[in-house]
Amino acid sequence: MSQEIAVVGSPEFTTGFRLAGVRRFENVPDDEKDERLDDAATTALEDEGVGIVVMHDEDLDHLSRNVRQEVETSVEPVVVTIGSGTGGGGLRDQIKRAIGIDLMDEDEDS
């Protein structure tokens, strides 16, 4: 069974992914994030057809403690956050957590 990418966030955030062909998304307007983002993230995490959930890193601040912990520790689906606060190291750590190895680790003997 192939799994898809889901995007959770504001309509402005999800639009680019939708134009790129992502079919699963949860739109949550900025002024409703405190009330609706937990449900949207949970819906994406519980969808068995989703293998990767993409969120804006600043949206994590709008999640309740329990949902945020679930997002940060989820392995399947893996949650990837992108945005102003995520540097290369953040993405590297997310990939390492998801698959268990550091793909970018260079052998120092080479």
Side-chain angles (χ1 to χ4, degrees):
M1 178 173 124
S2 65
Q3 293 184 310
E4 295 187 52
I5 297 171
V7 182
V8 177
S10 67
E12 294 81 13
F13 180 73
T14 63
T15 297
F17 292 95
R18 291 173 48 207
L19 292 172
V22 173
R23 296 180 299 192
R24 297 184 188 222
F25 57 92
E26 294 287 331
N27 282 331
V28 181
D30 288 333
D31 60 344
E32 297 178 15
K33 285 187 179 176
D34 289 332
E35 298 85 28
R36 296 188 40 214
L37 196 59
D38 276 1
D39 290 337
T42 300
T43 298
L45 290 172
E46 292 177 350
D47 188 335
E48 292 183 11
V50 172
I52 299 171
V53 176
V54 179
M55 295 182 69
H56 194 280
D57 60 348
E58 292 177 359
D59 286 348
L60 296 181
D61 295 335
H62 295 278
L63 297 173
S64 68
R65 183 183 327 175
N66 291 339
V67 174
R68 182 176 178 144
Q69 182 177 9
E70 191 175 335
V71 164
E72 290 176 341
T73 60
S74 180
V75 175
E76 190 175 322
V78 65
V79 179
V80 177
T81 58
I82 59 175
S84 59
T86 304
L91 182 57
R92 179 179 183 172
D93 290 340
Q94 291 175 34
I95 293 169
K96 183 177 176 182
R97 178 175 46 89
I99 64 174
I101 59 171
D102 188 352
L103 293 176
M104 296 180 219
D105 188 22
E106 295 181 20
D107 188 357
E108 293 182 17
D109 297 329
S110 299

